[in-house]
Amino acid sequence: MTAVYVLDARGAIVSGSGPHDVVDRAVALRAMASGRPVCTERVAYQPVAGGLLAVSGRRAPRPDALAPFVPLAELLLASAAEPARLARDLHDSMVQTLYGISLGAGTAAELMHGNPAHAEASLAWIKETAAAGLTDLRGIILRLRPETLVGAGLATALKGVFETLHNAPGRSGWGLELDADPPASPRVEEALYRIALEALGNAARHAEASQVTVRLAGDDSHVVLEVIDDGVGFVPDASHPGRLGLRSMRERAELLGGTVDIHSAPGAGTVVRAALPTG
């Protein structure tokens, strides 16, 4: 399995789509110090501005295969120093999707003349992966535009998010249950907005859900957001796609004195419930 990692100048992983123990920090630091690519048996390390890009697989890819992803790695590293920027939001899935499309395209090109049937299967996979990447990109664009909250209110902003992510085949069962805007400070509204983005993004990318419901309610003391899906579910404390996003949701809530509870099990869907004080 291929995994992509971005490391900062100290050798710490900023973003990683696989087990972190695959990356050898000593080798990473050596590559950064030399300014040249370094390959081990399974991992290729490519120095970039501000840190390092690493890709692992059964065999380390050629360093030139990492070149298309250097700009995104540099963007992540430039963002990492500022919590309000992209480091928390651009993680795992987008890098992994782009790398997968690149590998699939290369495979299809090799098979096109010698084995057209297999080439068609590879192209179909690329199409599916690109569609998933488009969903991710929509979510990223929304993350970059929290100004939709200003003047509109949280309920209206959530409607916009929902309509953007809902506009894809197979999502007719998505629904909204929103109260009129509960009283909440701008910081709380932004935190709930971003938690909703993360939860909806996970439902779209990983859950294979036919039904997704967003609920928003509140009173003078607390605002409660729920995102409920009937998807494949998961074990919340285990390693799984989207686990970094779950941690991000909890951190956002805790910074404001709130909580995020996640209830899920394999085959039982998922409920994400965020409760934050209004102030």
Side-chain angles (χ1 to χ4, degrees):
M1 178 179 174
T2 301
V4 182
Y5 306 85
V6 178
L7 289 74
D8 64 19
R10 298 171 298 172
I13 295 175
V14 172
S15 173
S17 59
H20 287 193
D21 57 3
V22 170
V23 176
D24 188 321
R25 185 169 179 268
V27 176
L29 291 173
R30 187 164 73 245
M32 281 188 274
S34 69
R36 295 192 299 272
V38 173
C39 290
T40 63
E41 183 178 354
R42 293 185 54 196
V43 185
Y45 299 86
Q46 171 66 54
V48 299
L52 191 81
L53 174 67
V55 175
S56 71
R58 292 181 179 176
R59 280 191 264 176
R62 300 186 314 274
D64 58 3
L66 280 60
F69 311 102
V70 168
L72 183 55
E74 291 177 342
L75 177 61
L76 280 163
L77 289 164
S79 305
E82 299 182 33
R85 301 275 301 279
L86 300 179
R88 180 172 269 165
D89 301 317
L90 282 174
H91 61 70
D92 287 0
S93 56
M94 201 61 205
V95 176
Q96 188 78 357
T97 298
L98 291 171
Y99 190 75
I101 290 172
S102 175
L103 290 180
T107 300
E110 292 174 3
L111 294 171
M112 190 61 72
H113 299 294
N115 195 329
H118 284 182
E120 288 180 7
S122 183
L123 290 170
W125 180 87
I126 291 170
K127 183 178 179 180
E128 292 175 3
T129 304
L134 181 59
T135 293
D136 288 347
L137 188 56
R138 284 173 171 161
I140 289 167
I141 291 169
L142 288 167
R143 286 178 172 88
L144 292 173
R145 301 195 62 180
E147 68 269 16
T148 54
L149 286 168
V150 178
L154 180 58
T156 300
L158 288 177
K159 286 179 184 177
V161 170
F162 192 85
E163 289 168 1
T164 299
L165 295 179
H166 174 258
N167 187 25
R171 296 189 187 159
S172 58
W174 287 35
L176 283 169
E177 298 177 13
L178 304 181
D179 281 357
D181 277 314
S185 70
R187 292 178 66 207
V188 169
E189 285 191 338
E190 181 174 347
L192 288 170
Y193 176 83
R194 292 187 180 278
I195 289 168
L197 281 173
E198 191 66 55
L200 284 169
N202 283 342
R205 290 191 300 267
H206 308 304
E208 301 176 23
S210 59
Q211 301 285 331
V212 179
T213 301
V214 178
R215 295 174 179 163
L216 179 70
D219 53 31
D220 290 340
S221 61
H222 282 82
V223 185
V224 177
L225 169 77
E226 290 184 325
V227 179
I228 305 161
D229 72 62
D230 66 349
V232 297
F234 60 94
V235 178
D237 294 331
S239 177
H240 55 82
R243 64 193 182 281
L244 294 181
L246 300 185
R247 186 173 67 190
S248 172
M249 288 190 285
R250 287 189 171 113
E251 289 174 353
R252 290 186 189 281
E254 289 168 0
L255 284 171
L256 296 173
T259 59
V260 169
D261 296 316
I262 298 164
H263 302 281
S264 186
T270 301
V271 177
V272 176
R273 185 180 188 274
L276 276 70
T278 56

